[in-house]
Each structure stands twice: as structure tokens, then as C-alpha cells.
Amino acid sequence: SDSYDARALQEKWQERWAKENPFEANEDPADERPRSYVLDMFPYPSGDLHMGHAEAFAMGDVVARYRFQRGENVLHPIGWDSFGLPAENAAIKNGTHPAEWTYANIEKQAESFRQYGVSFDWTRRLHTSDPEYYQWNQWFFLRFYERDLAYRKEGLVNWCPQDQTVLANEQVVQGRCERCHSEVVRRSLNQWYFRITDYADRLLDDMSQLEEGWPERVLTMQRNWIGRSYGADIDFTIEGRDEPVTVYTTRPDTLYGSTFFVVAADAALADELCSPEQRAEFEAYREQAAKLTDIQRQSTERTKTGVFLGRYAVNPASQERIPVWAADYVLAEYGHGAIMAVPAHDQRDLDFAFQLGLPVREVLDTGEGNPAETGVATTGEGTMVNSGPLDGLAKEEAIRRMVGILEEQGTGRGAVNYRLRDWLLSRQRFWGTPIPIIHCPDCGEVPVPDEELPVKLPDDLRGSDLDPKGVSPLAAATDWVNVACPQCGGAAQRDTDTMDTFVDSSWYPLRYCSPNLDTAPFDPESVAKWGPVDQYVGGVEHATLHLLYARFFTKVLHDMGMVGFVEPFTRLLNQGQVINGGRAMSKSLGNGIDLGEEIDNYGVDAVRLTMVFASPPEDDVDWADVSPAASLRFLNRALRVMTEAGAASAPGTDPAGGDTELRRTTHQIIDKVTSSVEMQRFNVAIARVMELVTATRKAIDTGCGAADPAVREAAEVIAVTLSLVAPYVSEEGWERLGHTGSVAIGNWRTAEPELLVQESVTCVVQVANKVRDKLEVAPDVSEEELERRALASPKVQGFVGDREIRKIVVRPPKLVNIVVG
Ligand code: ANZ
Ligand code: ZN
């Protein structure tokens, strides 16, 4: 066929780029181009690149290449998020060290990225599993520890029975492990945490800086995840207990409607409050409840259950005695682990009351019927009833009044509550950053001194040494574990847990600014020049994981005086997924598409073009609905146009005298492609380039002919705009057009305003009643614009000379008459 040889083009240009490194960010302070930082979420080296990578990196590359074309000094680095479980599981299976699998996959992916033609600065490459990198995770941990932002506590944690490790709340998705999808169970363990809750308010409030640049749905997910609510803490006296028990409520106005009190069944408080008569029943219930997963516990479908604890609490407003129950629908780790139940106005409480025959008292009349009769709790606006001093008030006023009363009595106070929990950091697995703490029988927790970092992973564990056992495999490496206490010199032991790998990804954008620095995690001056990231590109699955953690880290580093900004990512683009036949690709469905095969069949450019052209970047690409073969045909057409134009004229030809119609089309397309790329409608931009190819073909065949300067201009614009998605064909076309350097840098064109005029009208300009010039203007040109253009005309200026202008008659769009003295 007459198709270009994609493989040959790829080899040719890869070699050229490897030699010339056109995408290296420039650190020279004399370089005055505006700097920008474009970052794709770095990959996990799970195997070779797949279709998902191909899509994400094609989108990120459009952004980066556009900025290169606009003449910016772009930082577009690449590295690997190379710690984590899959490497460890592969090592167990193969009897090897996780490093072998990890670094082999990294090499594979690096090679594939080069082939894929992504505009990376390869000189800044990093791998988080290198000690040169992870030593700084340890250094940060120690700084956090000094600031009381890292601490260890015993508590109920999420445990993945499959992966045999704890998980952060963020890694539990609908009650299942984010990685292996096993149902998560609860265990009580002594674990390390980062105190992210100290930053809850700032994580919420600083989102005002992200409203322009981040997708609304990600902001909403973060807001809900942090879950700030305003309400009150109310102290209930418990009969027979000295200390009152505090509950958190968002509805202090409903206090008179609280007809019973519920403690989380798995909280220590339930055990403490249980009377001897109820003990047996309670313990049976608790055992039953412990078997449930979080999914089951939180299900609204499930019939509510609970057990009376044989005790009474006293409502601080009404002084009424109310029974204390234990139930599993109240969560031990939220609020204070106990609630005042208001069945009339909270559906969960109402279901419980109906189930267990407890009284329901309406305290806010909403006109929607009494919940005691309808079984539907009312939550809207209305008038307070059955509430002593609150009667007759509206809800908001009643909330304020009740908080006032409680504060006066000293039995309650306004309070803010968050859903966000501290970040559980420890993992009981091997392939991660060792926690730099030494446990000494005499001195307790002792930080590893900075000068002893990194605490490197031992390299003699492999295969079955890494079998998950519920404790870290590091515990078995006794040579590694047993050390002298840095404080007293006595026998002590290293902490054997490793850090959550989300620590690694929380600060890698900063590391790229000075990737080889060995005296600090990054150079603050360099970060000040490049940071924050202008455009971040990656999947929405990180909305409450990586993105929340990276924001937290940035704020802490800001407080430590290391970075000048508080938000790491100014703009965020979430690309969609590549699916096939309407379904996510999966082994079990057998609908996987192999990226390597697609590239072999159609070439890199056609695959990239197909990804970007399929839909707006946020949408999924269904590979069953697209045609890489059609993309390839288009690229062939484009290359032929560039080739023919190149053969017919030389670079530097002035387009001014060229075919006007084609020139108009070209400049309108420049304008539309530019605005489409800026609005991240990359698919629309490509559609416009396709139109330009068609118009240029037509001009060559049946119009002005290949040698017309307008054809060269159009062909060059095709090469430049196409370079955002099809780097090989556009480099080749650019070369055939007679250029020597890379097409990719600083070649973007700006549309000439005159040529953007839709349909132009010829305007006659007279000087002293004689026609002296003709202007092409828009039909709706304004008086001022027309006058300005007439006076700017060199011909008109020549005839006016130094005579005085007496009067200018402007009749848009057709006539300007200049009366001179
Ligand atoms: C009384 C009440 C009356 C409530 C009413 C709601 C409506 P958010 O907004 O999510 O913060 N609650 C408090 N601690 C709880 C726990 N540990 N487990 C389960 N539920 C708990 O929710 C706050 C509300 O959730 C609180 O306000 C409390 O119920 C419940 F008409 O108190 B409310
Ligand atoms: Zn000691």
C-alpha cells in the first residue's frame, strides 16, 4: 500500500530525540521563557504499559506539547511509583526479590514510553524504591514526628485478610480492599498514623483556590470525605457513673425529642456501662456484631438490632431518664462513639425505635405528618413543639438557643466534627519504606538519627521469606532488626513496619525539581521556580487517596518553610478509561486490548490520535467504537499533503500573496485549534486539523496548486498542530517541508486577525473624494475600528501627507471618506 512505514518513522525520530533531547527542561536562569510544569501521575510498574497508560499519557502529552509549542520552558518529568504489593506478591511466587520484578518492569515501561513518543525530560527520572528517594520519606517521617504529626496508637484498624496488612480508611472502598477487593475486617493493633486531621479545616478551606482548575466532582468527593459538620457536644449524665458521657449531634434543637441513648456496641464504653443482668445478652450481641463487615453494618436495608444495657441516662434539657442501648449502627470511631437518639427526626433512630418498641416524640412540626405514625423521620423546616423553652421557634433559631442554654448550664457546647480520620501509615509488608524508629526497652520510641538515613531494606529476603504472616516480614530479618539504641546504646529493635506507599507519591512532584540532590529532599529554590504543578493529569480513582495526601504533605512542608505554596496542583485533568464493548477490560471477560499489538498494527501516532480524537478527555474511550485504521488513513493523507507542499516550495516563503480562501481557512483553524486545546477539548482540535487537511488537499488538486504559498502555510500549520498528538508523522512532515529542527518546540502560530473575518466586505477609503485604498473588513465592523484601519493604511497616509484632517465620514462597512484641508 502507499501507507507510510510507521515503524521506520518511529525508529528514525526516536534516535533523533534521544540525541537532541528537545524536551529537557532548562534550568539556565538566563532563559526568560515562562516556566510551566506539566505532570502525569507517575505509573506503577505492574508490567508493560497498557491501554489505560496510553490514554492518560496521550492526554498529558497534548498539554505538555502545546506548552512547548507556545514557547514555554516546560518541566514534564517521568518516574515510577515503584514500591508496593504486586512486586512483593510476584517475588513470593517466583522465589525472587521484589526489586528484580520491579526494575525489570520499569525498564520495559521506560522503553515503551520512548516508543510512545511522550515529551518527557528523561534526565529527571526517579524510582521511589531507590534508597536515594526513600531516605527522604524517612526524613519527612522524622520531621513529622518532631512536630507531633506522626504518632503511634493502639486502635481498631482495617485489616485486609488477603493482603495481610492494615489499610488506611481511604483504601477501603465500600468495605473492600482497594487493591484486592477482599472484604476488610477490623483488628485492634498498635499502628503509626499521620495527624492529617489537624489539617482538616485547611484541606477544606484551601479548596477555594482549586475551584477554577479542578473538576467539581473531585472537589465534592474531597469535601464529603473530610465531612465537616457543625453542631454541638452534649453531656449526658449516666446514672451510677461519675463522668458524664458526651455525644455529638448536628441537631441540638431536637434534644427534647431524644427518647433513648445508644452506644457503639464495639466501643469500650458499651462494655463498661453494661449492667450485670444484661451482661450475657450484651456479650452475645457483641460477638454477633463483630462478625459483620462494614458493608453489612452500614447497610440501610438491614434490620436494626441492639441490646439494652440495663442503665439510664439523663437528658440534660428535660431531665428525663432515657434507656441506654448498645447497637452496631453507631460507629465507635465517629464523634464520641455514642449518640442521643431522636427517632422522630433521624431515620436510623426511627427504624431502631420501631424495631425495639421505643417511644417516638416529634419536636419539630414540619407539617409532613407525625413520624411516630408515618414511620418516616422528618428533617425539614418547621416549628418547634414539645420542647419547653424552644417551643414556637424555627429550626435554626432553636439550634442557637439550645446551644446557648447548654453552654450556660455547662452541659454542652458548640462543636465541629469531621468524618476524616488520621492517616494510618504502617503496613505489615516488606516492599516499602522502613519506618525510621527504634524501640528501646529503656528509652521507648527513639528516632533514627538523620545521619544514619537511609534505613535500607535488607537485601537477603526473597521468595517465601516474604509470605504474608500478619506481622511484617522484616521482623524475621533479625540481623537487621537488632540494633543498639541510639540514645542509651542498649539492645533495641527496629520498627518492622513499612510506610504506606502513598507517602512516596505525596511529594514526588517536588523531587523532580532537583532529582539528584543528595543533601535534602528537594531544593526549595528550584521548587519555587517550577512549582506548583500547573497541570496535573491522572485518574479520578485518586480523588480521596493520593490527591488528599499530597495536599496534606504540601501544607505541612509549607508550615516547615520548605515550599511557598499550599496547593500542589493548580489544575487537574481526570482522563477517562479505555473500555471495550461498553465494559471495562478484564481477563475474565476476555475483552482486553493489547497496546503493543495495536501499535504494531497501526503505529504509535494512529493509536495516540485515536485515543485523543475519540471523545473529550474526561470521557471513556470505547475501543469497540473507534477506528485506528481510519486514524492511520487520515495520517497518511496529512503526510502526503505535507510532502507535496514541501516538494513544491521552500521554507520561508511569504504566504501574504497566497490563495486567500485557503489562508482564511488556515487561520480560522489555527484560532479554533488554539481555543479548543486551551479549553481541553482535544478531540475538537483534531477535528479541525482534519478539516484543514481536507481543504489543503482540495486546494492542491483543484485550486491554487501545491506551489501556492498558502498551501505551504497550511501544510506547516498541519505539522505544528498535529505534533500535539502524532509526533512522528509531524516531525517527518516538517522535515519534508524543508525544516531542519524539531517541529515540537516553539512553532505554534497565531491567527492573523484580518484572516479571521468570516465573510469580508470591501470597504472603499476615499481621501478628498478620491478612492485611495480598499480594505477587507467584517460586515459588522464598528465605526471606530473602521476609522482606525482606514487611518492606519499606508496608502491613505501617503495621500493625506501632512495635510490637516478636517472631518472623517465613516459609513460601516463600505465607505470611509477623509476630508482634508
Ligand atoms: C441527634 C440527631 C437528631 C441527629 C436528628 C441527626 C438528626 P454528620 O452530619 O455525618 O456529622 N451520629 C453521631 N455520632 C455517631 C456515631 N458514632 N455513629 C453513628 N451516628 C452518629 O452526622 C452527625 C449525626 O450523626 C449526629 O446528629 C448523630 O445523630 C449521628 F434529628 O444527633 B444526630
Ligand atoms: Zn535506649
Side-chain angles (χ1 to χ4, degrees):
S1 82
D2 59 351
S3 176
Y4 64 84
D5 181 346
R7 186 186 303 252
L9 280 197
Q10 285 160 207
E11 276 164 17
K12 169 178 168 183
W13 290 100
Q14 276 164 37
E15 202 177 302
R16 197 78 70 86
W17 295 330
K19 221 180 306 158
E20 291 169 9
N21 215 352
F23 306 110
E24 198 173 321
N26 192 356
E27 289 289 0
D28 183 355
D31 186 337
E32 283 175 354
R33 293 175 299 165
R35 292 191 184 214
S36 65
Y37 191 171
V38 177
L39 187 63
D40 309 274
M41 290 184 186
F42 63 169
Y44 183 79
S46 51
D48 202 348
L49 297 186
H50 53 64
M51 295 295 276
H53 293 119
E55 194 206 10
F57 286 90
M59 300 302 174
D61 211 29
V62 172
V63 178
R65 284 174 173 274
Y66 176 66
R67 289 174 176 263
F68 277 115
Q69 286 289 25
R70 297 303 300 250
E72 294 175 16
N73 184 5
V74 184
L75 174 57
H76 186 208
I78 180 67
W80 278 268
D81 188 13
S82 50
F83 267 144
L85 267 185
E88 194 160 338
N89 292 338
I92 292 168
K93 207 171 119 200
N94 305 329
T96 55
H97 191 279
E100 288 178 32
W101 183 89
T102 302
Y103 288 92
N105 282 344
I106 288 176
E107 283 319 314
K108 218 186 287 175
Q109 291 195 349
E111 191 42 45
S112 296
F113 273 132
R114 284 184 198 276
Q115 182 193 44
Y116 204 56
V118 189
S119 63
F120 290 136
D121 177 348
W122 284 97
T123 64
R124 294 172 189 251
R125 172 171 168 173
L126 60 82
H127 318 123
T128 59
S129 53
D130 293 349
E132 294 74 22
Y133 186 89
Y134 72 70
Q135 63 175 324
W136 301 114
N137 291 341
Q138 296 172 334
W139 188 88
F140 285 126
F141 179 95
L142 294 172
R143 302 292 85 79
F144 281 38
Y145 185 76
E146 288 159 8
R147 310 185 136 237
D148 195 30
L149 290 172
Y151 68 95
R152 205 156 78 122
K153 76 162 183 208
E154 173 90 25
L156 279 178
V157 297
N158 304 303
W159 178 262
C160 173
Q162 170 71 32
D163 292 333
Q164 293 273 305
T165 182
V166 301
L167 301 171
N169 280 355
E170 288 78 6
Q171 288 164 316
V172 180
V173 180
Q174 291 175 327
R176 293 176 183 275
C177 170
E178 175 231 358
R179 269 202 190 278
C180 74
H181 308 293
S182 312
E183 286 198 5
V184 166
V185 297
R186 314 193 136 264
R187 268 203 183 179
S188 189
L189 286 172
N190 200 3
Q191 300 283 294
W192 287 100
Y193 293 83
F194 276 160
R195 213 181 288 282
I196 191 173
T197 52
D198 271 13
Y199 284 74
D201 280 321
R202 287 167 62 187
L203 285 165
L204 277 172
D205 298 341
D206 291 347
M207 266 189 241
S208 62
Q209 297 183 21
L210 306 176
E211 254 141 38
E212 298 260 298
W214 280 39
E216 184 52 42
R217 71 168 166 164
V218 175
L219 295 176
T220 303
M221 284 164 86
Q222 290 217 354
R223 255 181 227 116
N224 293 342
W225 187 261
I226 298 164
R228 179 166 62 192
S229 68
Y230 296 93
D233 278 347
I234 304 181
D235 308 328
F236 279 69
T237 307
I238 308 282
E239 290 177 2
R241 189 181 199 260
D242 294 340
E243 289 289 303
V245 172
T246 305
V247 300
Y248 173 74
T249 177
T250 46
R251 297 290 305 278
D253 56 315
T254 64
L255 181 50
Y256 277 85
S258 177
T259 50
F260 55 99
F261 192 94
V262 190
V263 180
D266 53 349
L269 182 66
D271 192 63
E272 180 210 310
L273 292 184
C274 184
S275 71
E277 306 81 63
Q278 293 298 100
R279 170 75 37 198
E281 202 186 323
F282 166 67
E283 284 182 358
Y285 177 73
R286 190 173 54 179
E287 206 170 296
Q288 205 55 37
K291 289 197 189 121
L292 297 177
T293 63
D294 267 17
I295 307 183
Q296 292 164 321
R297 280 164 59 114
Q298 284 164 16
S299 158
T300 49
E301 310 283 283
R302 197 172 58 93
T303 309
K304 295 266 181 309
T305 57
V307 58
F308 177 49
L309 291 178
R311 289 266 213 155
Y312 289 86
V314 180
N315 183 322
S318 64
Q319 304 305 320
E320 191 180 358
R321 286 179 91 219
I322 57 175
V324 178
W325 286 70
D328 60 13
Y329 79 98
V330 173
L331 306 172
E333 313 85 60
Y334 190 69
H336 303 286
I339 64 157
M340 62 181 229
V342 184
H345 305 294
D346 183 313
Q347 193 63 45
R348 297 163 296 183
D349 298 342
L350 186 59
D351 293 345
F352 190 80
F354 271 41
Q355 196 61 38
L356 296 145
L358 294 160
V360 178
R361 184 186 309 132
E362 186 182 47
V363 289
L364 186 73
D365 182 1
T366 63
E368 292 165 55
N370 189 341
E373 283 137 33
T374 62
V376 180
T378 54
T379 57
E381 304 301 318
T383 310
M384 300 302 301
V385 293
N386 301 323
S387 294
L390 306 182
D391 280 355
L393 297 179
K395 183 160 124 188
E396 286 310 315
E397 181 55 31
I399 289 176
R400 269 195 295 278
R401 184 73 67 84
M402 184 48 87
V403 172
I405 293 171
L406 293 168
E407 284 178 351
E408 235 164 74
Q409 293 181 354
T411 52
R413 59 220 74 86
V416 183
N417 194 55
Y418 303 88
R419 207 181 148 255
L420 184 69
R421 304 285 86 164
D422 277 339
W423 173 5
L424 200 169
L425 203 70
S426 345
R427 294 291 177 277
Q428 288 68 49
R429 298 299 297 256
F430 171 78
W431 192 230
T433 306
I435 290 174
I437 291 285
I438 290 166
H439 299 281
C440 169
D442 295 327
C443 313
E445 287 166 4
V446 182
V448 171
D450 278 4
E451 54 282 8
E452 285 173 28
L453 299 183
V455 177
K456 284 196 197 168
L457 286 168
D459 49 23
D460 53 351
L461 297 185
R462 52 201 357 91
S464 58
D465 299 339
L466 305 176
D467 279 346
K469 337 171 169 40
V471 294
S472 168
L474 285 172
T478 43
D479 287 353
W480 182 88
V481 169
N482 294 317
V483 287
C485 167
Q487 242 161 56
C488 69
Q493 300 200 307
R494 290 194 189 281
D495 198 292
T496 57
D497 284 350
T498 52
M499 292 182 205
D500 182 2
T501 57
F502 280 108
V503 174
D504 316 5
S505 52
S506 288
W507 64 280
Y508 79 106
L510 305 171
R511 182 71 182 167
Y512 280 134
C513 297
S514 47
N516 302 314
L517 194 66
D518 57 8
T519 51
F522 55 84
D523 170 11
E525 269 178 44
S526 175
V527 165
K529 283 184 198 146
W530 291 113
V533 172
D534 294 291
Q535 179 69 63
Y536 200 31
V537 180
V540 74
E541 65 273 17
H542 289 292
T544 51
L545 288 157
H546 162 57
L547 290 171
L548 190 70
Y549 297 141
R551 294 184 61 221
F552 162 61
F553 246 76
T554 305
K555 291 174 201 305
V556 176
L557 300 187
H558 177 265
D559 293 352
M560 290 167 62
M562 294 181 72
V563 298
F565 44 86
V566 295
E567 287 296 336
F569 310 116
T570 307
R571 283 161 69 83
L572 172 68
L573 173 64
N574 289 138
Q575 85 285 350
Q577 294 187 324
V578 187
I579 59 175
N580 188 18
R583 316 275 297 266
M585 290 191 242
S586 77
K587 277 212 182 81
S588 57
L589 288 173
N591 65 342
I593 304 281
D594 183 71
L595 175 62
E597 270 173 40
E598 297 301 296
I599 289 177
D600 285 346
N601 290 339
Y602 306 105
V604 166
D605 283 346
V607 170
R608 290 178 57 149
L609 185 98
T610 305
M611 292 283 180
V612 180
F613 183 51
S615 54
E618 305 80 11
D619 291 2
D620 290 348
V621 176
D622 191 332
W623 209 248
D625 294 345
V626 296
S627 172
S631 298
L632 182 57
R633 282 195 299 276
F634 160 70
L635 289 170
N636 268 301
R637 279 199 301 279
L639 186 58
R640 273 197 297 272
V641 161
M642 293 185 272
T643 308
E644 287 168 39
S649 66
T653 311
D654 182 6
D659 181 78
T660 321
E661 198 188 322
L662 181 59
R663 293 207 70 208
R664 272 188 212 296
T665 304
T666 302
H667 284 262
Q668 276 158 21
I669 284 175
I670 293 174
D671 195 51
K672 287 181 193 156
V673 171
T674 305
S675 60
S676 302
V677 173
E678 303 240 346
M679 291 186 300
Q680 300 187 336
R681 286 294 162 267
F682 309 143
N683 56 327
V684 176
I686 292 178
R688 297 286 97 84
V689 181
M690 290 175 171
E691 283 171 23
L692 184 57
V693 169
T694 304
T696 314
R697 179 80 264 157
K698 199 170 138 215
I700 293 174
D701 292 346
T702 60
C704 56
D708 191 282
V711 168
R712 162 162 290 275
E713 181 181 45
E716 292 192 348
V717 168
I718 291 169
V720 171
T721 50
L722 209 52
S723 76
L724 306 191
V725 290
Y728 296 106
V729 163
S730 55
E731 289 286 14
E732 182 66 21
W734 191 244
E735 188 180 66
R736 293 185 192 178
L737 279 159
H739 295 279
T740 44
S742 169
V743 67
I745 311 292
N747 280 314
W748 203 257
R749 306 287 168 98
T750 7
E752 288 171 24
E754 279 81 4
L755 292 165
L756 288 182
V757 176
Q758 282 295 349
E759 292 150 279
S760 62
V761 177
T762 308
C763 173
V764 168
V765 186
Q766 301 177 331
V767 180
N769 292 320
K770 284 208 179 96
V771 176
R772 296 302 188 188
D773 198 6
K774 286 178 181 166
L775 301 173
E776 289 299 308
V777 299
D780 59 350
V781 66
S782 68
E783 256 184 56
E784 299 76 50
E785 170 71 6
L786 198 54
E787 178 176 325
R788 190 189 63 73
R789 294 218 12 221
L791 292 175
S793 152
K795 285 186 193 157
V796 169
Q797 284 172 359
F799 287 102
V800 173
D802 45 24
R803 286 183 288 175
E804 185 198 348
I805 295 176
R806 290 247 176 100
K807 193 173 167 197
I808 305 177
V809 182
V810 186
R811 302 246 184 281
K814 294 218 162 137
L815 176 79
V816 178
N817 188 14
I818 299 170
V819 182
V820 288

